Amino acid sequence: MRVLGIDPGSRVAGFALLDHMEGKISYVESGVIRLKGELDTRLHQLATALEQIIHDNQPHCAAIETAFMHRNVKSLMVLCHARGVAIQTIIKHQISITHYEPRRVKMTVAGYGAASKSQVGYMIQTMLGLPSPLAEDASDAAAIAITHIQNLKVNA
């Protein structure tokens, strides 16, 4: 089973593709999607990039991080637009999607719901046996994908 993890963002979004087969998780691909221009343009760029990732990798399911409370309501609204575009793009391809809270993702991969980004990055590098750390947003996306895989195991 191939899982697409998405760390949504309105300027930079992370993605990671992981395979889960016979109890083993293996790294396929990850990266960051850098978005430029006005909000409408960035949202279109995000949808286009996700379309290409889905087309090239054919994931079976997807997982995305939920929005968390920001001090800045405007930033939260923009992030929610990016989440909406990502969700719409995934559903358009009839791929099931599951949503995970940031604290749950951190708890799953680092054992602590308030783990730092560097702690999550280190754990992702270790868990996937990667020679070097992933970019921060790609690492977060991989953590989201791993959380989904672990959730599937628990509910199996």
Side-chain angles (χ1 to χ4, degrees):
M1 170 182 64
R2 181 158 291 171
V3 179
L4 170 61
I6 300 173
D7 180 30
S10 64
R11 298 226 178 252
V12 178
F15 74 92
L17 290 136
L18 304 178
D19 282 345
H20 179 240
M21 189 172 246
E22 298 176 7
K24 185 177 181 211
I25 299 173
S26 56
Y27 174 83
V28 176
E29 180 183 355
S30 67
V32 294
I33 304 164
R34 300 200 183 280
L35 309 165
K36 296 182 174 137
E38 295 299 318
L39 179 60
D40 293 347
T41 302
R42 295 192 317 263
L43 294 174
H44 177 71
Q45 291 168 359
L46 177 59
T48 301
L50 289 173
E51 290 273 355
Q52 191 65 52
I53 291 164
I54 291 167
H55 178 267
D56 292 348
N57 294 282
Q58 300 297 306
H60 299 103
C61 57
I64 190 169
E65 195 168 63
T66 61
F68 54 92
M69 192 58 184
H70 279 266
R71 290 187 187 119
N72 183 331
V73 174
K74 184 177 178 183
S75 295
L76 177 61
M77 289 175 58
V78 171
L79 174 61
C80 287
H81 286 314
R83 282 189 81 250
V85 166
I87 292 165
Q88 168 61 28
T89 304
I90 291 163
I91 289 180
K92 175 182 169 184
H93 290 276
Q94 300 179 334
I95 298 169
S96 66
I97 185 167
T98 307
H99 308 259
Y100 294 98
E101 294 178 358
R103 292 185 69 80
R104 181 169 178 193
V105 172
K106 292 175 182 181
M107 179 64 84
T108 299
V109 299
Y112 177 54
S116 69
K117 290 209 175 259
S118 64
Q119 289 171 315
V120 170
Y122 173 78
M123 290 305 297
I124 293 304
Q125 180 182 356
T126 302
M127 292 170 89
L128 297 176
L130 301 173
S132 59
L134 298 175
E136 195 172 89
D137 295 289
S139 180
D140 289 348
I144 295 162
I146 287 172
T147 299
H148 185 61
I149 291 167
Q150 295 297 332
N151 185 59
L152 292 175
K153 286 181 185 178
V154 169
N155 293 324

